[in-house]
Amino acid sequence: MKKTVLLGALTVAGLAATAASAATLDDVRARGKLNCGVSTGLPGFSNPDANGNWQGFDVDFCRALAGAVFGDGSAVEFVPLTTQTRFTALSSGEIDVLARNTTWTYSRDTDLKLDFIGVNYYDGQGFMVPKSLGVSSAKDLDGATVCIQTGTTTELNLADFFRANNISYEPVPIETNAEAQQQYLAGACDVYTTDASGLAATRATFEAPADHVLLPEIISKEPLGPAVRHGDNEWADIARWTLNALISAEELGVTSANVAELAAAPTTNPEVNRLLGTEGELGAMMGLDAKWAVNAIAAGGNYGEIFERNIGENTPIGLARGLNAQWTEGGLIYSAPVR
Amino acid sequence: MTTLTEQPEKGFRLSQLIYDTRYRSLTIQVVATILLVSIIYWLIANTIANLAALGKEFDFGFLSSRAGYDINQTLIEYDNSMSHGRAALVGIANTLLVAFLGCIMATIIGVIVGVLRLSKNWVVARLMAVYVEGFRNVPLLLWIILIFALMTESTPQPRDFREGGSASMILWDSVAITNRGIFVPSPVFHSGATLFGIITLLGIVAAYVYRKKSLQKQLLTGEPPVSLWIVMVSLVAGLAAVFVLQGFLLPGEQSFNPAITLNSPELGGFNFTGGLQLRNSLIALWFALSLYTGAFIAEIVRAGILSVSKGQTEAAFALGLRPNRTMNLVILPQALRVIIPPLISQFLNLTKNSSLAIAVGYMDVRATLGGITINQTGRELEGMLLLGSFYLLISLLISSGMNFYNNSVKLKER
């Protein structure tokens, strides 16, 4: 009898422990900081600077999310993850949100039980080769040795592309962007392939960036976005609307410089008022403070500011807005209405 | 008021479970079993509950779905349209290859270094000590990465081998050492290859039998046996003669027509084509594993040799045996009995350590099944269980094989 009681008690304890992990927002609040999964180092997207502070496009999303939850954009713990460890880290609860230039795909959304909360960068897979090779098209790469990061969609696209064009290649699997860069520069592989933005970011750190060219072919669609665990809709909503708030802020002209002023008193624009919490109860609907969006924007600026500061044309990485311009400017970046 | 006098209790009291030595051990065992079972039950229940919370089910079906990724070194046929299960098999083959090569080389290194460390030559003995301590006391991963980095950074790229380039092939243009690997000629088998293979086997068997007979004759008559060198040289010479003459042996062909030719690597396009490519990842992993485990084996060999009493050496010297024959005929056979059991665990260590392969991009089973497949399918639990059972199985196989060998060399006590 005693044994049964003991086992029963243990089972209840086990189930209780698992049930508690369902409400991510409560866990994050109790912990006092957000655990955000980022890359092990990709300049412009997530990379520690000389002082060890994480900087980048994906990093700023996490800071905005921490701003929305805590009102403090610095309440983030960054967890560097390789392409192979990122999904396990998210599903095991080690991180609350994955902002690691990760492609939104069907099987990741369904089979891997992730929830992508939107797209923050529309990308595609490209190839980088040394100029001295004299290659002008990816279709000339028959027999080439190609460096790829393992456990990525690019690995699968690469196999498909070479198969479709009936040419052969030798894959060199690599774990991190830094290793890939070292192998590529040593000439251990002829080609480095990853998302075009990642190639541009990597090339910007080379000693002689002009000696390397990006081939014209973009062989895939790579919509990159932050992801959360499947099954916690409240937390997914918070992450999704933080991203939407950053995008809407750019569209409405709310920047980190004028957000405090605009939030001080209701303006003439009701859309701005709803976003900044001077009208309506939008924050409470998600269980957040009324100033959630103000804090998110104050943490690092609106979507456009984050883009320009980290990867825009005035940075060494020098990416044009292109597809990632606001829909009003001919791009694909579009937020659902905040109302 | 009832009486206060204590009645001696005859029945069983609960405190006896702890204080009575007749029951105490039983109590401890029962409690320990209950605790153990509860922990296991809790772990399993927790896993099931967490999987259910994530909406995942326990399913090995992913093994038959399309893998979609490519693997550079494939010992068995594979392309990206085959299944994840097949990719895992390719990884297993690669693991077994590097473990097999590593065990052989580690043993050779270990035996040589272990013997040399006992050398009377001060410089040799100290050099071996430096090697052993250096490799034993630095993590294996660092050695793997160091050797790989050396090979990548210090060797030329294939494009340097072009006309007017800075690098050239060695050994009559048959071997190219590049930063992607070493390209060596590969054998091509023609129609007569089977026949030649049979002749070779027969030759080896004949040489073995001949040598054995002459050794037996030595035991009976004391006549010195035919030297091993003479047997081997005549075997090689005989086979070479057959190889050259084989064109003339077959009817209808009256010219030199070798059954086996070599396919030399040639620079074509981006890489060398033809021949056999020993990838840098394989070489780095193989060398690092061998050198690292070899250092441990050297210590085991040294301990084994030291365990044979000095009187044995002195007796052998008194009989007039030279030092190397003393070592081969007297010391090592006795030392083996001490060496083999710890050697087994070194082989197991080497095999399991080969799972560090992904650090240099060697596609072993940890990199295919335990890496890319898990990542693409999200089946962490299933993949890790499979991986664990594979290493368990292979370790048990190696240790049972080595135990079999140990039983054949150990001291027979009658």
Side-chain angles (χ1 to χ4, degrees), chain A residues 3 6-7 10-11 13-15 17-18 21 83-88 91 107-108 111-113 130 132-133 135 140-145 150-153 155-156 159-160 163 169-173 175 179 182-183 185-190 229-230, chain B residues 34-35 37-39 41-42 45-46 49-50 53-56 66-72 79-81 148-149 152-153 155 157-159 162 179-180 269-271 277 279 358-363 366-367 370-372 374-380:
Chain A
K3 194 168 155 187
L6 181 66
L7 287 185
L10 279 167
T11 319
L15 289 174
T18 53
S21 65
T83 46
Q84 289 209 4
T85 53
R86 53 186 166 174
F87 301 134
T88 316
S91 60
S107 61
R108 284 176 179 175
D111 204 23
L112 265 66
K113 306 291 180 192
S132 57
L133 274 187
V135 174
D140 299 340
L141 291 175
D142 192 12
T145 304
T150 60
T152 57
T153 46
E155 190 169 43
L156 305 179
D160 289 349
R163 196 179 176 81
Y169 72 106
E170 153 113 10
V172 176
E175 270 199 303
E179 275 175 60
Q182 185 251 331
Q183 291 286 304
L185 287 177
C189 42
D190 300 301
R229 262 185 306 284
H230 187 87
Chain B
I34 292 177
L35 275 180
V37 169
S38 326
I39 289 172
Y41 179 81
W42 179 75
N46 197 24
N50 271 316
L54 283 171
K56 286 186 175 182
R66 186 176 183 273
Y69 61 90
D70 283 301
I71 299 176
N72 47 15
D79 70 56
N80 59 46
S81 63
F148 184 66
T152 310
E153 300 288 346
T155 48
Q157 304 175 22
R159 69 182 90 125
R162 294 210 189 113
N179 64 357
R180 292 174 195 175
F270 292 97
N271 278 320
Q277 181 186 8
R279 284 176 183 78
I358 186 63
V360 288
Y362 181 77
M363 299 299 275
R366 155 72 184 80
I372 304 177
I374 284 184
N375 203 267
Q376 305 290 11
T377 60
R379 301 284 172 190
E380 295 94 352

Side-chain angles (χ1 to χ4, degrees), chain B residues 354-392:
Chain B
S354 72
S355 59
L356 291 169
I358 186 63
V360 288
Y362 181 77
M363 299 299 275
D364 72 335
V365 66
R366 155 72 184 80
T368 58
L369 173 68
I372 304 177
T373 294
I374 284 184
N375 203 267
Q376 305 290 11
T377 60
R379 301 284 172 190
E380 295 94 352
L381 189 63
E382 293 90 334
M384 282 300 161
L385 281 179
L386 280 178
L387 205 58
S389 359
F390 164 71
Y391 281 111
L392 180 68

